Amino acid sequence: MHLRFICCLLLGLPCINSLAAADDDDTAKLTSKVQSVNGLAVIKLDGEAQRQTGLAVTVLKPARHHSEFLAYGKAISIQPLMDLHHRYLAALTERNRAAAKFKQAEQAIQRQQDLYQHGVTAKRNLQDQQAQWQTDKALLDATQYQNQAIIDETLLSWGKTLSDWALTPRAEKLTAFLAGEQTLLQVTVPSHHKPIENLHTIAVNVSGERSTAQTAEFISTAPQTDSSNQGISYFFQTSGKTIKTGMSVSAWLPEQGQQHDGVIIPASAVCWAADQAYVYLKTDEGTFSRRAISQYTATANGYFLSGILKPGDTIVTTGAQMLLSEELRRQIPSEDND
């Protein structure tokens, strides 16, 4: 038993399970057999053993995956955008007020002109009304200039899409950000990458782990870049509750035109030994063969593989580590043979 314990440590296997199996060889629940077929180790497990251990399998489906590159960004506050929204509303109110006053001045000068032409009022009254008309016209022009200045400032800082969202009376599309349901992100693509085209969604994560990344939706290109990074910046929105304003994020963006066909395997299907990842392929009823996997890409749904496995293959999704332990345990010499 001690030899098995040492071997398990060297192989990086769970020692408790192996020792338990070693102590209970005569009453082991697993009825398994390890063989070598075409140079590959194959483990055979009868149906009862599969049921007892809760072994589960799945048939792989075809998947398409874009090559990705890593970029960085941060969750930014929409407070400056909301300030522009409020300034826009105030300017809009002033403009409406000035427009109403100017309309009254136009009506008043028309009456004065009619009265003057009929000799009912003095020329001076007409001139006074013309002066008032010019004053009200200048005020209306000033509010229009102020309104345009706010629009230009918003466009220069936030781009057209976010400007359209903010410069409306109710700004309904910003409500989700105010309620904490959405977070605004600014992601900067490194300068050596080409500008992104036809971008819809990306994956983002605050801890830099691709496998637990969440989706962010493209909003628009940012007119200004992040001063801490060189490259083109983009605005995104995400509904993830774990990303808060001020946090830095890692972002995975698709490489343009680089698309691969393959399969996605669940994370639960992967087992490990000596820093090598494996999956178990069901090759026949009750027969499982271990396959080493490499050059896999972490995704939100598991790992993308191309070339190693193919659509239609059946792999173990629950119990892979148990199969690995059982296979390697059977390869360890018995103490009786020491």
Side-chain angles (χ1 to χ4, degrees):
M1 181 177 71
H2 299 295
L3 177 58
R4 291 180 181 178
F5 179 79
I6 294 171
C7 291
C8 286
L9 289 178
L10 294 176
L11 291 170
L13 298 175
C15 297
I16 295 177
N17 293 340
S18 297
L19 288 175
D23 289 338
D24 199 21
D25 282 343
D26 295 334
T27 59
K29 292 183 179 181
L30 291 180
T31 304
S32 63
K33 182 178 181 181
V34 177
Q35 298 176 333
S36 179
V37 178
N38 296 326
L40 295 175
V42 172
I43 183 168
K44 292 183 175 292
L45 223 73
D46 63 23
E48 181 61 25
Q50 292 181 46
R51 285 190 292 273
Q52 289 181 0
T53 56
L55 205 71
V57 298
T58 189
V59 178
L60 297 179
K61 298 179 180 180
R64 185 161 289 177
H65 180 73
H66 282 277
S67 297
E68 297 177 327
F69 66 90
L70 182 62
Y72 297 97
K74 60 183 178 181
I76 60 177
S77 173
I78 67 164
Q79 183 60 53
L81 188 59
M82 291 306 302
D83 289 343
L84 288 165
H85 168 69
H86 294 142
R87 284 171 54 193
Y88 173 77
L89 292 183
L92 196 61
T93 300
E94 288 297 321
R95 180 184 175 184
N96 292 338
R97 184 182 303 167
K101 191 174 182 182
F102 177 69
K103 185 176 181 179
Q104 290 179 341
E106 282 190 318
Q107 293 172 347
I109 198 173
Q110 185 64 45
R111 288 195 299 270
Q112 287 294 332
Q113 287 174 342
D114 291 342
L115 292 173
Y116 177 73
Q117 289 174 358
H118 292 85
V120 179
T121 187
K123 184 176 182 180
R124 181 176 181 82
N125 292 335
L126 176 60
Q127 291 174 335
D128 289 342
Q129 192 59 54
Q130 288 175 333
Q132 184 62 47
W133 180 89
Q134 290 175 341
T135 299
D136 291 340
K137 178 66 166 62
L139 288 174
L140 177 59
D141 291 342
T143 59
Q144 291 176 335
Y145 296 147
Q146 181 183 10
N147 187 270
Q148 188 60 49
I150 295 172
I151 294 174
D152 292 343
E153 181 181 348
T154 309
L155 284 169
L156 287 172
S157 299
W158 298 95
K160 187 178 187 308
T161 300
L162 286 175
S163 294
D164 290 343
W165 291 6
L167 302 182
T168 58
R170 294 190 179 182
E172 293 92 345
K173 290 201 173 183
L174 296 182
T175 303
F177 295 95
L178 294 174
E181 299 171 357
Q182 293 284 340
T183 302
L184 183 63
L185 307 176
Q186 183 175 359
V187 175
T188 302
V189 173
S191 57
H192 61 274
H193 279 276
K194 295 180 180 180
I196 304 300
E197 298 178 358
N198 300 320
L199 188 61
H200 300 291
T201 60
I202 63 172
V204 294
N205 186 269
V206 294
S207 59
E209 296 180 4
R210 179 63 180 86
S211 60
T212 58
Q214 59 199 49
T215 300
E217 297 178 2
F218 176 77
I219 296 176
S220 67
T221 302
Q224 300 179 19
T225 190
D226 184 353
S227 59
S228 61
N229 294 315
Q230 294 296 321
I232 299 176
S233 289
Y234 300 87
F235 290 128
F236 297 88
Q237 61 181 350
T238 181
S239 58
K241 303 297 183 182
T242 59
I243 300 179
K244 303 298 182 182
T245 299
M247 287 183 173
S248 297
V249 298
S250 298
W252 291 266
L253 285 77
E255 291 277 8
Q256 297 296 294
Q258 295 190 21
Q259 188 169 266
H260 304 282
D261 292 323
V263 294
I264 291 181
I265 62 172
S268 62
V270 180
C271 55
W272 296 82
D275 295 327
Q276 173 63 55
Y278 297 95
V279 295
Y280 271 90
L281 182 67
K282 185 176 182 180
T283 55
D284 201 350
E285 190 64 33
T287 304
F288 304 90
S289 178
R290 178 160 49 104
R291 296 286 191 274
I293 61 173
S294 59
Q295 296 181 345
Y296 49 85
T297 302
T299 71
N301 300 319
Y303 300 96
F304 176 81
L305 295 172
S306 180
I308 301 173
L309 299 173
K310 63 183 184 300
D313 286 343
T314 301
I315 64 169
V316 175
T317 54
T318 302
Q321 192 69 47
M322 179 274 298
L323 287 178
L324 179 62
S325 300
E326 181 69 9
E327 176 188 335
L328 297 182
R329 182 179 72 84
R330 296 261 175 186
Q331 296 176 4
I332 298 172
S334 172
E335 282 186 333
D336 297 337
N337 297 329
D338 292 348

